[in-house]
Amino acid sequence: MATKDHTIVFITGANSGVGYETVRALLKSSRPYYIYLGSRSIDNGNQAATTLRDETPESSSSIEVIEIDVSSDDYINAAFEKLNQGPGRLDVLVNNAGHSLENRVSTGQYTLREAWNKMYDVNVTGAHILTSTLAPLLCQSSNPRLLFLSSGLAQLETLSKGYYPGQPPVAGWPKSASISPHGYRASKTGLNMMMLTWYWTLKNDGVKVWSVNPGWLATNLGGTREKLKELGAGDPALGGTLIRQVIEGGRDADVGKVVISQGIQPF
């Protein structure tokens, strides 16, 4: 059971990838956390929680699983009720759940419209509605923190100077939908604007707000971990370490910005 001494943290999409590594990083901290591990699948969430508990038996922190699909208002409202009836406050919300679906357009699993709508629904709309729903609980905290997981692809300033990554495709049509993650890029750029509006909206409530770019890491987002490792992607644990740094006050000078491990990412 969560107590007044615990920092109450809710992390969406935390049964794998950067979310999972964030839970692991917090469990290894000397600070006591009560971590709500958000997962679309309760079975996957419970499996992740069991593994993490077994790895850190001496941790002063605890894990509880919340089944959460940020594209569903019913799940979001149920999460609010669980938190409200439990600790009655939320100290840290980490909007980590995300989709990158360009490759699934190429394979025919989604139409282009379906993929873009789904990415915006999860990456932007879902994060916004979850934040809106849980904002009253954040405002009950004495040190509230709100994080949105962004991407290095979401840089208008950099993109305006020279398209990246890589060279433009050869002339001719059609072009592969997987050449560049246009929908994912656009959704994360929209998320950064949303972060700025939340930073402004909650400023007088004392809520510290950031976007966090954990870096190019070998997760299952938009591909397979092994393939990304071969291409040079980093260990997802690096993302967990960065998010823990933000949660524990190491980046308080950078509120309202997109933080990266080495500083600030341009908008």
Side-chain angles (χ1 to χ4, degrees):
M1 176 180 289
T3 71
K4 62 181 179 62
D5 295 323
H6 284 107
T7 297
I8 311 300
V9 183
F10 182 22
I11 307 170
T12 61
N15 61 285
S16 65
V18 173
Y20 180 91
E21 294 296 341
T22 301
V23 179
R24 175 184 274 159
L26 295 178
L27 289 172
K28 292 180 178 179
S29 174
S30 61
R31 302 186 186 186
Y33 291 96
Y34 197 92
I35 306 161
Y36 286 93
L37 186 158
S39 175
R40 281 187 299 160
S41 162
I42 194 70
D43 290 338
N44 290 345
N46 286 333
Q47 182 178 352
T50 297
T51 301
L52 288 163
R53 291 188 192 103
D54 289 346
E55 287 181 0
T56 54
E58 303 302 319
S59 178
S60 60
S61 299
S62 299
I63 310 173
E64 183 172 346
V65 177
I66 290 185
E67 189 174 15
I68 180 71
D69 179 347
V70 298
S71 64
S72 165
D73 289 349
D74 290 340
Y75 279 106
I76 289 173
N77 291 333
F80 171 83
E81 291 301 327
K82 187 165 190 172
L83 291 165
N84 191 42
Q85 293 172 14
R89 75 178 195 280
L90 181 60
D91 299 307
V92 183
L93 173 59
V94 182
N95 284 290
N96 170 70
H99 270 325
S100 178
L101 301 174
E102 270 83 11
N103 287 336
R104 299 187 189 183
V105 175
S106 300
T107 61
Q109 186 174 348
Y110 287 97
T111 67
L112 193 58
R113 181 179 296 279
E114 288 169 344
W116 273 68
N117 286 347
K118 184 67 173 176
M119 284 186 281
Y120 262 84
D121 194 13
V122 172
N123 299 351
V124 184
T125 307
H128 176 67
I129 293 174
L130 181 66
T131 301
S132 298
T133 303
L134 300 185
L137 299 176
L138 282 170
C139 291
Q140 293 298 314
S141 172
S142 61
N143 186 22
R145 292 164 183 270
L146 173 59
L147 286 66
F148 297 94
L149 265 289
S150 188
S151 169
L153 295 171
Q155 298 183 57
L156 290 170
E157 181 179 342
T158 302
L159 185 60
S160 70
K161 296 175 181 177
Y163 192 85
Y164 77 104
Q167 296 298 313
V170 298
W173 199 263
K175 301 185 191 298
S176 170
S178 64
I179 287 174
S180 182
H182 300 295
Y184 181 76
R185 181 195 298 269
S187 70
K188 289 299 185 178
T189 304
L191 178 139
N192 286 343
M193 176 58 77
M194 181 177 65
M195 178 277 291
L196 288 172
T197 63
W198 276 112
Y199 172 63
W200 177 81
T201 300
L202 296 176
K203 193 168 188 177
N204 289 332
D205 296 285
V207 181
K208 296 180 176 69
V209 185
W210 301 262
S211 284
V212 179
N213 169 19
W216 184 42
L217 306 176
T219 70
N220 289 324
L221 181 69
T224 63
R225 293 188 63 174
E226 294 308 316
K227 177 68 172 179
L228 291 171
K229 283 181 182 179
E230 291 174 7
L231 294 173
D235 189 330
L238 297 171
T241 299
L242 174 59
I243 294 169
R244 173 181 154 181
Q245 182 186 32
V246 176
I247 290 173
E248 296 192 337
R251 305 302 295 271
D252 281 8
D254 301 324
V255 291
K257 307 294 185 182
V258 183
V259 297
I260 56 177
S261 60
Q262 302 300 319
I264 301 297
Q265 175 176 295
F267 285 106

